[in-house]
Amino acid sequence: MEDKHECGCGCGCEHEHEHEHEHDHIKVALLDAGVTEYQTSKSVSFVEDDTVDNSHGNEMMNILLSNAGDIDVYDVRVLDDSGNGTISDVANGIIWSVSNDVDIILISFAGDDNSFLYKYALEYAEANNIIVVSAAGNNSSSEPHYPSAFPTVISVGALEEDGCLWEYSNYGAYVDTYEISANGTSGAAAAFAGKTASMLSDDLSYTPEIIRNNLAASKPAMQFSPDT
């Protein structure tokens, strides 16, 4: 993705929001190309398209709901009908999500462009105790993809039904965990986000750091290469 304009927050990491998991339903912000086939609790768009003509958001919504219980999903549109978006739009989507008191941010895509805008927005989410989950990318590569490669993000790769690495899934040191998925690493991330929402519903004490530490403890068993 190519950055086109400055982040609207100024410096996201300096905001204070004091987020706590205290509401009735777990809130998940779905950053994607828009949702049309499901009712969402809130919606916002950071792209110029007036209509939504991309099914990816609906597919991710279906996977989320299939893996979670009673959750509130916020439709945060940061990709256009062609599936393209800017880093600044994604960063602003993250900041909007934090400001709207979500528990989990699902970023169901990845790119090879790093940016300080990601860094600021993700630090804002981390400071407010929000779990950020992102697709590792579908490039059959161990090269870092973003925003999933940031240490404050849980990066999710994709597995086949038999538990083997999906042939196009990214892998390697920056990938934190893997999920079986028929929808690439986007679907894997959505499945993990849904399961995490269910876990939070049962126990609100889980923090991003606790979840990452738990994943790190089991990570040696999940290191893949293209030959495995």
Side-chain angles (χ1 to χ4, degrees):
M1 291 183 292
E2 179 185 359
D3 178 44
K4 294 182 180 178
H5 55 270
E6 292 295 322
C7 175
C9 76
C11 182
C13 61
E14 295 181 359
H15 288 269
E16 294 183 0
H17 188 64
E18 299 299 326
H19 170 78
E20 296 289 344
H21 304 299
E22 294 180 347
H23 28 258
D24 292 336
H25 295 160
I26 299 301
K27 299 179 180 179
V28 181
L30 171 58
L31 274 62
D32 205 283
V35 176
T36 58
E37 297 178 1
Y38 299 86
Q39 182 175 355
T40 56
S41 298
K42 287 186 180 182
S43 63
V44 66
S45 177
F46 293 93
V47 302
E48 296 180 356
D49 290 347
D50 294 329
T51 59
V52 178
D53 189 23
N54 187 310
S55 64
H56 197 264
N58 292 318
E59 293 168 2
M60 296 305 105
M61 184 75 170
N62 179 58
I63 295 170
L64 258 180
L65 297 178
S66 297
N67 285 275
D70 196 1
I71 61 174
D72 292 335
V73 181
Y74 290 2
D75 171 21
V76 184
R77 192 178 187 201
V78 295
L79 303 179
D80 62 21
D81 286 340
S82 299
N84 298 318
T86 67
I87 291 174
S88 54
D89 285 347
V90 177
N92 284 327
I94 294 169
I95 292 163
W96 182 93
S97 301
V98 178
S99 299
N100 279 269
D101 202 34
V102 304
D103 300 286
I104 299 170
I105 296 174
L106 167 60
I107 303 172
S108 51
F109 50 87
D112 56 8
D113 292 326
N114 190 357
S115 172
F116 73 93
L117 293 179
Y118 277 154
K119 179 177 184 292
Y120 287 153
L122 292 169
E123 285 178 353
Y124 181 32
E126 178 79 0
N128 286 282
N129 200 37
I130 293 172
I131 299 162
V132 182
V133 179
S134 180
N138 303 333
N139 305 91
S140 189
S141 171
S142 61
E143 291 297 318
H145 279 62
Y146 298 93
S148 63
F150 281 95
T152 53
V153 177
I154 297 172
S155 175
V156 188
L159 301 177
E160 301 280 5
E161 288 286 345
D162 60 4
C164 293
L165 183 69
W166 178 56
E167 63 176 324
Y168 297 112
S169 176
N170 287 359
Y171 56 91
Y174 83 95
V175 182
D176 298 298
T177 191
Y178 297 83
E179 290 283 342
I180 293 173
S181 172
N183 297 84
T185 62
S186 294
F192 183 86
K195 292 176 181 179
T196 302
S198 294
M199 183 176 65
L200 279 181
S201 295
D202 295 333
D203 186 350
L204 294 176
S205 67
Y206 283 100
T207 64
E209 183 178 11
I210 289 173
I211 294 174
R212 291 196 301 267
N213 287 342
N214 288 345
L215 291 172
S218 60
K219 192 172 181 179
M222 298 188 300
Q223 293 306 293
F224 291 92
S225 72
D227 297 327
T228 61

